[in-house]
Amino acid sequence: MPSSISIYITFPTAFVLLLAIIYTTTLSAAKQPTLRYLRVLLAIPCCILWGHAAIPPNFRWMNEVTTFSTIFAKAAYLFMRTLDVGVVGFWDEPKDYPRWRLPRPNEKDGKEGDKEVNYVILPLPTTFKTRLAYALDLACTVRGTSFFHNHTWTSPKPLPGLNPTTSYTSFVLGRLKTIATDIVIADIGLNIFQTKQWDTIHPYPLTSLPIIQQIYYTLGQGALVVGGVCITYNIFSLLFVPLLRMNPEGWPDAMRNPLASTSIADFWSTRWHLTFKHVYKRLSLPVVYLFQPYLSRRAVQWLQVCVVFGISTLLHMLLYYNMPLATEDQFYAFFEWSTIKFFASQPLGLWIEA
């Protein structure tokens, strides 16, 4: 895509396409066999535009890593939502499409197996206004939360968050404290990163360093990414929760202190980028369904783990392939072996750890 196309064009265009993809899921069930093909076709240019929005024109990651950590987080999330609805949704039946749910009055929050006994599941909307609201809400839901009071989603289901009794005042004060902490973390990471004059021509300026320096600068980069992502997320939560009267428990921390991880499984499962966990699992399902009849339950679980990290590898390679280096005509090779080796080592580490 030409670098002259501004992010102010690609971002809203991709978002409109995403809304159109979600909107079609609310149309007549009889039309869904045809509409699922339309959603795949719309998802292709939509994902390309998200990729362009994630890496703005003339972007240089060594010089603009702060911008990268904020813009990329937004575009990456919406890219994943596009894949979830437009691509993985190809195999969904209309009865499985995400729906709003409301808590039943005077009943405690609880589940009986997989049956949701404490919620009223609303039907898919049928008017233009409610369909548009549905599309906008599903596109923007971060962790199964909703813009609308007391509404949550059947998929993705909300993750455990704050205490339901948390007041708006306590939430705002706590989130302001968190933002201040994140700013300090991001500033420390940025200062570590800027202590070195980076070689912007070398394709692997970080991993080509001695191992001790790799660890040092990687921790700095990690702190910068964590701080940048969390600051953006927390600012949005401060806008949505008090102003739209959303439930505070629907906005837990974006990352749960990844530096405090006690294991590889703890890092990936409960601390790092929980926003993407739902979509990665969904993206792995076609492969899982293909081999499930021939494998044991344990083997299927490990297959899903390997597929998830394989998908993450592919998405990161696509990202780096689109990221220019020192000049407009110098890019990373598609098969970025340091990325492949890193993600391939994670299932091995989980297996050894288990």
Side-chain angles (χ1 to χ4, degrees), residues 71-106:
I71 294 178
F72 175 73
K74 301 182 187 73
Y77 167 74
L78 293 167
F79 173 84
M80 299 292 275
R81 176 63 66 207
T82 303
L83 290 178
D84 183 15
V85 181
V87 180
V88 184
F90 182 88
W91 288 273
D92 290 340
E93 296 297 328
K95 64 181 179 62
D96 300 321
Y97 291 165
R99 283 172 168 78
W100 279 313
R101 62 182 191 173
L102 291 170
R104 294 182 187 275
N106 303 321

Side-chain angles (χ1 to χ4, degrees), residues 284-317:
S284 70
L285 291 180
V287 178
V288 171
Y289 291 155
L290 180 64
F291 290 96
Q292 196 169 30
Y294 313 104
L295 299 174
S296 66
R297 183 177 179 180
R298 182 67 172 167
V300 168
Q301 291 175 341
W302 280 108
L303 173 64
Q304 187 166 33
V305 169
C306 293
V307 172
V308 165
F309 280 109
I311 293 170
S312 184
T313 304
L314 177 60
L315 293 178
H316 279 80
M317 287 195 302

Side-chain angles (χ1 to χ4, degrees), residues 15 19 26 37 61-62 67 99-100 121 131 134 136 144 160 171 192 199 228-229 244 251 259 270 286 295 329 340 351:
F15 191 72
L19 292 182
T26 66
Y37 289 97
W61 78 276
M62 283 297 180
T67 304
R99 283 172 168 78
W100 279 313
I121 308 299
R131 283 170 172 163
Y134 172 95
L136 180 63
F171 177 84
I192 290 175
D199 182 358
V229 170
L244 299 178
W251 288 80
L259 289 178
T270 65
L295 299 174
D329 57 351
I340 295 173
W351 181 75

Side-chain angles (χ1 to χ4, degrees), residues 49 62 82 86 104 118 122 145 147 149 163 166 217 221 230 271 280 283 303 312 318 321 324 329 331 336:
L49 288 169
M62 283 297 180
T82 303
R104 294 182 187 275
N118 56 317
L122 302 182
T145 54
F147 286 130
H149 183 65
N163 190 312
T166 301
Y217 289 113
Q221 185 184 19
C230 291
R271 297 185 182 275
Y280 272 126
L283 288 173
L303 173 64
S312 184
L318 288 170
Y321 185 64
D329 57 351
F331 291 82
E336 213 287 304

Side-chain angles (χ1 to χ4, degrees), residues 122-145:
L122 302 182
L124 289 171
T126 57
T127 66
F128 173 77
K129 183 178 179 180
T130 55
R131 283 170 172 163
L132 189 59
Y134 172 95
L136 180 63
D137 199 23
L138 184 58
C140 296
T141 182
V142 179
R143 312 267 278 277
T145 54

